[in-house]
Amino acid sequence: MIAGRFITLEGGEGAGKSTQLRALAAALRARGLDVVETREPGGSDGAEAIRALLLTGGADRWSARAEALLFAAARADHIEKTIRPALARGAWVLSDRFLDSSRAYQGQGALTDADILTLHRIGSDGFLPDRTLLLTLPEGEATGRAKARDGDAEDRIGGRASDFHRAVADAFSRFALEEGARVHAIDASGPAEIVTLRLLDAIEDLLP
Ligand code: Z5A
């Protein structure tokens, strides 16, 4: 029986996660693997409905606690309806963001990292990826890429102050330092094709 694998891509806005997820999926399909591309918040009907609630509306639409619970609820549905069934049939599941985004974005204000992990234990039995690829890019470069794509249009969370996004980047770096077996930091600068090769290198040991 072929073992499915669960790989997540993480990092700040504009780092190139969506671009790399597509490229990585194509490279894995070329090796004959069954690949499912998904994203958070979202990835199942219920979670996509919650995504719309989370990313639209005014900055204070949700309290920090309500926001964290909505992300955890969306994730529970995503895992149950999309990720676990795909892994059970032996597919490789690639997700654009997952739990580490909640830890980095929701776990550094009213709630702690431990609180977010508790919500994840309750919602999703503490389910973790086989490997997390953290795309790192200097702040100015990532902002430049996002601005070139979106102009001034920002979602509820992307539109927060640069101090907030700097703290998010620091939290991601900490995960890579403290959970190095799972979270691999990948330099996301340079041409997209080169970044894809770095990502492939970082999952080489998991490939059949
Ligand atoms: N969020 C949260 O708070 N808690 C959670 O638990 C979860 C999420 C799961 C989701 O936004 C928001 O929800 C997000 C975190 C929060 N808000 N923020 N910040 P989203 O899904 O709409 O967007 P995003 O996840 O932030 O990603 P993004 O802005 O779409 O960026 P990206 O996927 O990393 O980048 P990209 O779209 O692949 O590339 C950006 C542009 O750069 C694009 O024009 C590309 O063509 C270009 N690009 C890509 N690679 C390159 C290279 N190598 N060179 C040059 N240009 C490039």
Side-chain angles (χ1 to χ4, degrees):
M1 193 176 133
I2 305 164
R5 294 287 190 182
F6 180 38
I7 310 291
T8 59
L9 269 66
E10 296 279 10
E13 215 185 13
K17 297 177 298 300
S18 311
T19 305
Q20 289 304 325
L21 189 115
R22 289 191 294 273
L24 192 58
L28 295 177
R29 286 191 185 109
R31 293 177 182 227
L33 296 171
D34 175 5
V35 181
V36 172
E37 297 174 52
T38 188
R39 69 169 181 182
E40 288 207 350
S44 62
D45 289 348
E48 288 291 333
I50 296 174
R51 178 185 175 95
L53 295 175
L54 276 164
L55 298 186
T56 61
D60 56 1
R61 182 179 193 182
W62 305 107
S63 71
R65 287 167 193 278
E67 182 178 289
L69 285 161
L70 284 167
F71 274 112
R75 184 160 303 123
D77 194 67
H78 182 208
I79 292 172
E80 194 180 317
K81 305 276 176 47
T82 304
I83 299 173
R84 282 201 193 276
L87 292 174
R89 67 162 201 267
W92 278 55
V93 179
L94 309 184
S95 184
D96 188 342
R97 295 192 182 277
F98 188 67
L99 171 69
D100 295 306
S101 282
S102 281
R103 297 173 67 196
Y105 285 85
Q106 280 73 49
Q108 50 165 333
L111 298 176
T112 63
D113 189 42
D115 291 329
I116 301 300
L117 290 170
T118 298
L119 291 183
H120 188 56
R121 182 175 53 72
I122 294 166
S124 302
D125 214 12
F127 178 70
L128 288 177
D130 292 296
R131 181 88 17 106
T132 294
L133 305 171
L134 168 64
L135 299 193
T136 64
L137 199 61
E139 187 181 335
E141 230 178 296
T143 315
R145 284 185 189 178
K147 270 218 177 321
R149 187 195 54 190
D150 303 333
D152 287 329
E154 288 176 311
D155 63 48
R156 262 189 75 246
I157 295 171
R160 289 179 187 168
S162 53
D163 279 2
F164 174 79
H165 290 289
R166 226 162 280 139
V168 165
D170 289 347
F172 277 132
S173 302
R174 213 166 48 242
F175 304 155
L177 273 179
E178 292 171 1
E179 297 161 54
R182 175 177 68 85
V183 184
H184 292 212
I186 310 290
D187 175 11
S189 61
E193 310 76 59
I194 303 292
V195 180
T196 308
L197 293 178
R198 293 182 193 131
L199 296 178
L200 278 167
D201 198 43
I203 56 169
E204 188 64 45
D205 59 315
L206 301 178
L207 289 167

